[in-house]
């Protein structure tokens, strides 16, 4: 059976991660160098888009669920957030976030914890902005994955999305806002909106922009070729949604 476009892109993303050198490295985005530890998903053009789209407010309390290498947490602190917390199920990602906070001079504002969604937070914690770019690849329920890089990419049955919205209200300030990234090529934006609505949140699509990838990088399978333009380019929409209480 031929794979869908989402399955092809998902397999490519994981193969890219598997092929990365298993050693500490750096990457360059937003005019800065970022440390990347082994088995941490590196900041990429989608990370850049979401980070620049977030409406950071001076003095606000910011939480990122799935902080990865910590670029968004660092930028939040640099844009005036009074306190910044990063959470990630991957212990190396939490360490990576602290490394980049130190590298860019905001270690006094940024804290990071190893956490399965909100598990590491104190029950009294409240945030004005909560952001997540969750695992986007909606695999079948029962698909096993590691707790490292694959956990940043795979969300069998969108179960992480469901857990997020089931508990996020406990940590959101009364007038707070939730921001969530969505890759509409490999994810399921309509289901994301349904899950949020079932949890009592009103949502809207804040921004959308295509990210272009040469189809040959993924592999010229039938699904990929059908989606590519005449120049062999895939144009994949990524979006940011904003959610709030009614």
């Amino acid at each position: 059976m031929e794979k869908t476009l989402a399955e092809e892109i998902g397999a490519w993303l994981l193969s890219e991660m598997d092929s990365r050198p298993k050693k500490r490295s750096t990457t360059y985005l937003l005019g800065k160098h970022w440390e990347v530890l082994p088995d941490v998903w590196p900041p990429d053009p989608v990370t850049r888009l979401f980070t620049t789209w977030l409406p950071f407010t001076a003095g606000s309390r910011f939480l990122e669920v799935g902080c990865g290498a910590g670029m968004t947490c660092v930028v939040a602190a640099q844009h005036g957030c009074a306190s910044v917390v990063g959470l990630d199920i991957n212990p190396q990602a939490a360490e990576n976030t602290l490394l980049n906070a130190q590298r860019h001079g905001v270690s006094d504002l940024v804290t990071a914890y190893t956490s399965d969604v909100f598990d590491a937070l104190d029950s009294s914690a409240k945030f004005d902005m909560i952001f997540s770019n969750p695992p986007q690849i909606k695999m079948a329920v029962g698909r096993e994955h590691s707790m490292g890089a694959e956990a940043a990419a795979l969300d069998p049955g969108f179960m992480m999305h469901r857990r997020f919205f089931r508990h996020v209200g406990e940590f959101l300030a009364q007038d707070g806002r939730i921001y969530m990234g969505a890759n509409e090529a490999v994810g399921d934006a309509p289901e994301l909106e349904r899950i949020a609505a079932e949890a009592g949140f009103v949502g809207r699509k804040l921004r959308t922009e295509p990210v272009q990838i040469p189809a040959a990088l993924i592999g010229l399978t039938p699904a990929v070729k059908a989606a590519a333009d005449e120049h062999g380019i895939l144009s994949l929409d990524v979006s940011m949604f904003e959610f709030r209480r009614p």
Side-chain angles (χ1 to χ4, degrees):
M1 180 181 294
E2 292 180 358
K3 291 182 179 179
T4 65
L5 179 62
E7 289 171 332
E8 296 286 7
I9 294 172
W12 171 67
L13 287 172
L14 294 178
S15 69
E16 286 290 294
M17 195 65 205
D18 287 342
S19 66
R20 290 186 68 243
K22 302 301 180 185
K23 61 182 180 180
R24 187 163 168 169
S25 61
T26 60
T27 191
Y28 187 77
L29 277 175
L30 296 180
K32 296 179 176 66
H33 286 95
W34 305 92
E35 302 274 0
V36 183
L37 295 181
D39 209 28
V40 174
W41 202 274
D44 59 24
V46 174
T47 316
R48 175 183 58 78
L49 281 181
F50 291 152
T51 301
T52 57
W53 288 351
L54 283 166
F56 298 116
T57 303
S60 63
R61 298 161 293 180
F62 177 80
L63 171 67
E64 181 177 15
V65 181
C67 53
M71 186 176 89
T72 304
C73 284
V74 169
V75 173
Q78 292 175 330
H79 279 70
C81 291
S83 64
V84 177
V85 176
L87 305 177
D88 205 292
I89 196 170
N90 181 357
Q92 288 204 70
E95 180 184 350
N96 208 153
T97 295
L98 295 176
L99 281 172
N100 278 316
Q102 183 176 33
R103 178 179 183 125
H104 295 292
V106 291
S107 57
D108 57 328
L109 298 175
V110 177
T111 306
Y113 303 104
T114 302
S115 183
D116 188 357
V117 193
F118 303 106
D119 287 353
L121 290 180
D122 186 275
S123 60
S124 64
K126 291 289 185 286
F127 299 91
D128 305 296
M129 293 180 63
I130 299 178
F131 167 66
S132 183
N133 177 23
Q136 297 290 330
I137 304 170
K138 184 186 173 186
M139 306 297 289
V141 174
R143 166 66 159 85
E144 297 295 330
H145 61 71
S146 73
M147 288 296 102
E150 285 194 9
L154 306 183
D155 187 11
F158 259 26
M159 297 307 293
M160 186 273 186
H161 287 72
R162 297 179 192 282
R163 285 187 60 205
F164 177 94
F165 278 103
R166 188 159 59 243
H167 297 290
V168 68
E170 302 167 25
F171 303 100
L172 187 68
Q174 186 58 41
D175 296 322
R177 295 290 186 270
I178 301 162
Y179 297 91
M180 183 167 281
N183 186 320
E184 302 199 36
V186 300
D188 191 336
E191 184 166 357
L192 165 62
E193 293 184 276
R194 285 194 296 271
I195 291 169
E198 289 169 1
F201 294 98
V202 176
R204 68 186 179 107
K205 187 182 290 187
L206 194 67
R207 295 279 299 269
T208 299
E209 188 168 316
V211 172
Q212 295 185 327
I213 301 173
L217 286 179
I218 300 171
L220 296 177
T221 64
V224 173
K225 287 193 289 187
D229 65 17
E230 66 272 20
H231 304 293
I233 300 295
L234 284 175
S235 187
L236 308 175
D237 284 345
V238 295
S239 302
M240 179 176 283
F241 289 81
E242 179 190 73
F243 299 97
R244 61 176 177 81
R245 294 185 176 94

